[in-house]
Amino acid sequence: MLIDTHAHLGRLRHNDQGLTPEALLRRMDEGGIDRAVVLAVESPEELDYYVPTAQVLRWCACCPDRLIPFCACDPRHRYPGRFDPFPVLAEHVAAGCRGFGENLCGLPIDDPMQRRVYDACARLGLPVLLHIDHHINRDGPGLPGLERLLRDHPGVTFIGHGPHFWREISGDVDPAGPAYPAGSVAPGGRVAALLEAYPNLMADLSAGSGHNALARDPAHAVAFLEAHADRILFATDVLAEDQDLPIIELFRTLPLSEASREAIAWRNATRVLRL
Ligand SMILES: [Zn+2]
């Protein structure tokens, strides 16, 4: 069994039509993926178009045994301080959504408006998928804002993803350096430290960032995945027909124990998403 906790449907970029449900199911079959989380996109920053939660729910209704809907809402709705995300998200949960994401909001990761969304997610039992880069859910070197969230919202499971999350796998991050650093991983990485200190942190292996964090140092990758096997989610970030998904082959070929492979492939997702 293999669950992809990070997939996209619909048109996201002007130069690409994106995936239909049929096309996503075909890509899942090619990759040996049984089920996939379909993410909503309701913040404007990363992409050219929105993919509203209501549309995600309509698409996922085709095959509830294979597609798992997530919901999203931008924390900047209405006038500052007047938006209550709880009833909006509660309606999405009642309609079948199993998590909040993808959070692609161009605010600091722990902005007060974002925290209102996280408080609503705590009440609703929704895990929160965070994309973290230099602009979206931005944070300082070493991820101090993420640490404040993990400490202040213990009832929320936060799933880290994106270049400024995964480069912190290494202890030698140059804040002015590349978002996708190459070469071996130095000791003292913040990702492992936060996973050890906070039981409400998970991480997904999707996209160039997750793949690079493993592929840059395969020996470290095996030790890291074995040490944190109960906190890592297999994921691709599939969003297009012609997209390479090297994480599938890398995950299959890394020499992991069977227990760790199973945890990352599907057991953790089943627990966190309450499937
Ligand atoms: Zn994504």
Side-chain angles (χ1 to χ4, degrees):
M1 166 107 112
L2 189 57
I3 300 177
D4 177 357
T5 61
H6 195 133
H8 293 276
L9 284 176
R11 194 176 183 195
L12 296 161
R13 303 173 295 188
H14 185 261
N15 61 358
D16 188 280
Q17 289 304 310
L19 294 174
T20 62
E22 297 70 32
L24 174 60
L25 292 168
R26 198 180 327 119
R27 296 228 55 179
M28 289 164 64
D29 291 341
E30 289 162 7
I33 294 166
D34 299 284
R35 306 183 74 179
V37 166
V38 178
L39 299 167
V41 175
E42 297 205 17
S43 291
E45 276 84 8
E46 192 186 33
L47 296 153
D48 296 321
Y49 302 105
Y50 296 105
V51 176
T53 303
Q55 181 63 59
V56 169
L57 282 162
R58 278 194 292 274
W59 279 321
C60 291
C62 77
C63 14
D65 55 329
R66 301 202 67 190
L67 302 182
I68 303 159
F70 267 33
C71 55
C73 72
D74 194 289
R76 294 162 291 189
H77 279 292
R78 294 196 171 225
Y79 297 90
R82 290 203 206 163
F83 176 50
D84 180 2
F86 179 80
V88 176
L89 295 177
E91 195 173 291
H92 293 327
V93 170
C97 290
R98 313 302 292 214
F100 182 95
E102 182 171 4
N103 181 334
L104 290 167
C105 179
L107 285 174
I109 192 167
D110 59 340
D111 185 277
M113 287 187 279
Q114 300 245 57
R115 287 177 180 269
R116 294 179 75 147
V117 171
Y118 307 145
D119 286 337
C121 290
R123 291 169 66 191
L124 292 162
L126 289 174
V128 174
L129 171 57
L130 294 167
H131 175 106
I132 303 173
D133 67 23
H134 66 283
H135 182 54
I136 293 170
N137 292 310
R138 51 190 177 269
D139 199 354
L143 304 171
L146 176 59
E147 180 159 23
R148 287 192 290 275
L149 292 186
L150 294 165
R151 194 186 56 216
D152 297 347
H153 304 269
V156 179
T157 296
F158 290 97
I159 304 166
H161 145 89
H164 282 212
F165 177 79
W166 275 119
R167 72 177 185 175
E168 299 281 354
I169 196 170
S170 188
D172 61 355
V173 174
D174 171 5
Y180 299 84
S184 56
V185 167
R190 286 288 290 158
V191 170
L194 291 170
L195 286 168
E196 278 152 28
Y198 299 95
N200 55 330
L201 179 64
M202 307 279 297
D204 93 28
L205 296 177
S206 72
S209 54
H211 177 262
N212 183 58
L214 302 183
R216 62 184 282 188
D217 189 339
H220 176 272
V222 171
F224 174 84
L225 294 177
E226 290 289 350
H228 306 287
D230 59 336
R231 314 287 285 287
I232 310 291
L233 299 163
F234 173 80
T236 64
D237 211 349
V238 64
L239 51 78
E241 292 269 14
D242 58 353
Q243 183 184 354
D244 282 335
L245 300 171
I247 190 64
I248 296 175
E249 184 63 15
L250 179 62
F251 179 64
R252 276 192 208 293
T253 52
L254 282 175
L256 298 174
S257 69
E258 212 37 53
S260 297
R261 186 181 305 284
E262 266 190 25
I264 297 165
W266 63 271
R267 273 191 202 282
N268 296 339
T270 302
R271 181 180 77 245
V272 172
L273 308 182
R274 303 177 188 183
L275 297 176

